[in-house]
């Protein structure tokens, strides 16, 4: 260094030159340090896409444009220094202007992509899911319902009927920002096939599976206590074998409103292909999306002599073999509960059975 300076600068200029070089280096270091600082306090939250196979520089430029970082070049250089520029995973990331460059790179290398976590509650119908998705600002209700009746999707997954009702498996899903409603439906259907494939080969596609899922959806709606699912399933199978109507309350309001534990006289008289107070046998399809436990109960119901059950005050049920036993239970548990339908048998054209009418045929 000294010989070179000696040749370039006389003695009297060496000290100022060195000072200038040092000062420039310090200024550069300060500038770099400033550029590495987060530009804000974290209040500016942005979604940034890192495309598969796209250079990191493209995502860095988007971050700079959205005010998440101060320098796109510095982010790329830092990634190269760390040797991780080729380890960044594709996806959409939620970043904010209070994050350091190192923190951003760590998140992108770890693949902590942004997604809406959405849980499908057990037994929810497609109509309830559509409202829930819209309230979470994930999908508009009308678009999700349209995806649920997409004929191409239904053919792809071997689902009969008019909608995918019953086949949107209750689980928690990561819904990406760019996903369309039909993509969400497909993801839930794939989870159904995966989960049910683990239960039994009996759940292969076809009419037998459709009947099983339909029964499971009714059991799911009726069973407040999951432990009662196999016993409730046995009641419905017993009634089917005897040619009795199922007379399940939740079927009377399907497609009209969510079942909340009560039905009215108008409900049980409603003309609907799903209303098992008016039709014999199973409805044409599921009335909700059952859990694995409900499907298991429909596959392997408990053996019992029961044909009736009525809800007790704690949410569990009292099961009866005969109509007389059932009517006594209805009087005991429902007379003073303020139900819209009592056990008095005063509904014209229908008689008192499960839990509201007596005949069931």
């Amino acid at each position: 260094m000294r010989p070179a300076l000696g040749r370039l600068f006389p003695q009297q200029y060496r000290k100022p030159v060195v000072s200038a070089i040092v000062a420039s280096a310090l200024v550069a270091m300060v500038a770099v340090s400033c550029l590495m600082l987060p530009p804000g306090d974290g209040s500016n939250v942005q979604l940034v896409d890192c495309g598969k196979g796209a250079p990191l520089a493209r995502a860095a430029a988007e971050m700079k444009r959205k005010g998440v970082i101060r320098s796109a070049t510095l982010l790329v250089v830092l990634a190269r220094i760390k040797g991780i520029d080729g380890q960044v995973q594709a996806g959409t990331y939620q970043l904010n202007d209070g994050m350091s460059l190192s923190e951003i790179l760590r998140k992108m290398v770890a693949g902590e992509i942004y997604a809406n976590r959405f849980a499908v509650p057990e037994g929810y119908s497609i109509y309830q899911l559509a409202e829930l998705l819209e309230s979470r600002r994930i999908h508009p209700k009308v678009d999700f319902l349209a995806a649920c009746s997409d004929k191409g999707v239904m053919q792809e997954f071997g689902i009969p009927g008019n909608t995918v009702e019953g086949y949107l498996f209750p689980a928690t899903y990561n819904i990406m920002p760019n996903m369309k409603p039909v993509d969400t439906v497909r993801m839930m259907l794939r989870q159904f096939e995966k989960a049910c494939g683990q239960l039994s080969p009996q759940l292969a596609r076809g009419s037998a599976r459709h009947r099983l899922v339909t029964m499971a959806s009714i059991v799911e709606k009726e069973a407040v206590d999951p432990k009662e699912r196999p016993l409730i399933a046995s009641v419905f199978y017993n009634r089917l074998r005897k040619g009795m109507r199922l007379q399940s309350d939740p079927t009377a309001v399907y497609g009209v409103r969510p079942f909340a534990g009560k039905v009215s006289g108008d409900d049980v008289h409603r003309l609907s292909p799903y209303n098992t107070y008016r039709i014999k046998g199973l409805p044409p399809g599921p009335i909700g999306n059952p859990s694995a436990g409900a499907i298991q109960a429909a596959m392997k119901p408990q053996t019992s002599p029961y044909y009736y059950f009525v809800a007790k005050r704690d949410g569990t049920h009292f099961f009866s073999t005969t109509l007389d036993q059932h009517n006594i239970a209805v009087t005991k548990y429902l007379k003073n509960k303020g139900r819209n339908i009592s056990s008095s048998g005063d509904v014209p054209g229908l008689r008192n059975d499960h839990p509201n009418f007596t005949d069931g045929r």
Side-chain angles (χ1 to χ4, degrees):
M1 181 69 178
R2 288 179 182 174
L5 283 173
R7 289 195 300 270
L8 292 173
F9 303 102
Q11 181 69 32
Q12 64 270 27
Y13 297 117
R14 291 177 189 174
K15 188 173 181 180
V17 169
V18 171
S19 298
I21 294 173
V22 171
S24 298
L26 289 173
V27 170
M29 289 175 63
V30 171
V32 169
S33 298
C34 290
L35 289 174
M36 290 189 70
L37 291 174
D41 58 3
S43 59
N44 178 21
V45 180
Q46 299 286 343
L47 295 181
V48 175
D49 291 316
C50 185
K52 187 175 182 180
L56 175 60
R58 184 179 301 174
E62 184 180 355
M63 293 178 213
K64 174 67 170 64
R65 186 172 64 254
K66 292 183 174 181
V68 174
I69 60 177
R70 296 179 185 272
S71 171
T73 301
L74 196 55
L75 179 72
V76 175
V77 170
L78 182 60
R80 289 175 181 169
I81 292 173
K82 290 175 173 285
I84 59 174
D85 53 318
Q87 300 175 28
V88 171
Q89 299 188 40
T92 300
Y93 293 88
Q94 186 179 58
L95 308 173
N96 65 71
D97 63 355
M99 299 173 68
S100 68
L101 298 184
S102 294
E103 188 177 357
I104 290 172
L105 288 173
R106 183 206 60 77
K107 191 169 187 175
M108 298 179 75
V109 170
E112 296 176 4
I113 57 177
Y114 171 76
N116 279 304
R117 290 181 64 81
F118 179 77
V120 175
E122 296 178 348
Y124 261 44
S125 70
I126 58 174
Y127 305 105
Q128 290 173 288
L129 290 179
E131 291 183 355
L132 195 56
L133 284 162
E134 185 170 74
S135 70
R136 292 276 302 278
R137 299 182 179 179
I138 297 175
H139 296 311
K141 178 169 65 175
V142 64
D143 293 346
F144 180 76
L145 288 175
C148 287
S149 58
D150 186 294
K151 296 301 181 184
V153 172
M154 295 176 66
Q155 184 177 6
E156 177 184 347
F157 288 88
I159 299 173
N162 298 317
T163 72
V164 297
E165 185 76 276
Y167 298 89
L168 304 181
F169 192 74
T172 300
Y173 299 90
N174 290 326
I175 302 178
M176 307 304 172
N178 60 344
M179 284 179 66
K180 298 177 181 179
V182 71
D183 298 326
T184 299
V185 168
R186 279 194 175 96
M187 178 171 61
M188 295 176 180
L189 293 175
R190 285 192 292 269
Q191 185 60 32
F192 171 88
E193 293 199 331
K194 178 181 177 181
C196 292
Q198 295 171 352
L199 289 177
S200 172
Q202 186 178 345
L203 289 171
R205 299 179 182 186
S207 57
R209 181 185 72 172
H210 196 61
R211 289 192 296 272
L212 188 65
V213 174
T214 299
M215 175 61 81
S217 71
I218 298 174
V219 171
E220 185 77 78
K221 290 285 191 179
E222 292 277 13
V224 176
D225 184 347
K227 294 178 182 178
E228 290 190 335
R229 287 169 179 160
L231 194 53
I232 288 175
S234 77
V235 171
F236 288 132
Y237 281 123
N238 288 344
R239 293 175 73 90
L240 287 176
R241 279 190 289 268
K242 198 171 181 179
M244 301 169 68
R245 290 192 177 98
L246 296 185
Q247 296 189 339
S248 168
D249 287 359
T251 65
V253 296
Y254 175 69
V256 178
R257 67 175 187 274
F259 177 65
K262 293 183 179 180
V263 293
S264 67
D266 289 340
D267 292 329
V268 298
H269 282 95
R270 181 176 293 109
L271 292 176
S272 163
Y274 289 87
N275 186 358
T276 56
Y277 281 100
R278 304 299 301 263
I279 67 167
K280 288 188 176 182
L282 288 168
I287 60 169
N289 295 281
S291 63
I295 295 172
Q296 184 76 20
M299 287 174 54
K300 298 179 179 180
Q302 183 174 333
T303 301
S304 83
Y306 301 130
Y307 290 90
Y308 309 90
F309 60 84
V310 62
K312 296 191 291 186
R313 293 176 179 85
D314 62 359
T316 61
H317 294 83
F318 183 88
F319 295 84
S320 301
T321 303
T322 68
L323 182 58
D324 289 341
Q325 292 173 347
H326 176 65
N327 284 337
I328 293 173
V330 168
T331 300
K332 178 178 180 180
Y333 294 112
L334 294 187
K335 275 294 188 179
N336 299 317
K337 284 185 66 176
R339 289 176 59 92
N340 291 338
I341 295 178
S342 72
S343 60
S344 61
D346 57 357
V347 181
L350 291 172
R351 299 177 62 192
N352 210 0
D353 194 355
H354 159 61
N356 307 311
F357 304 103
T358 57
D359 187 293
R361 291 184 173 81

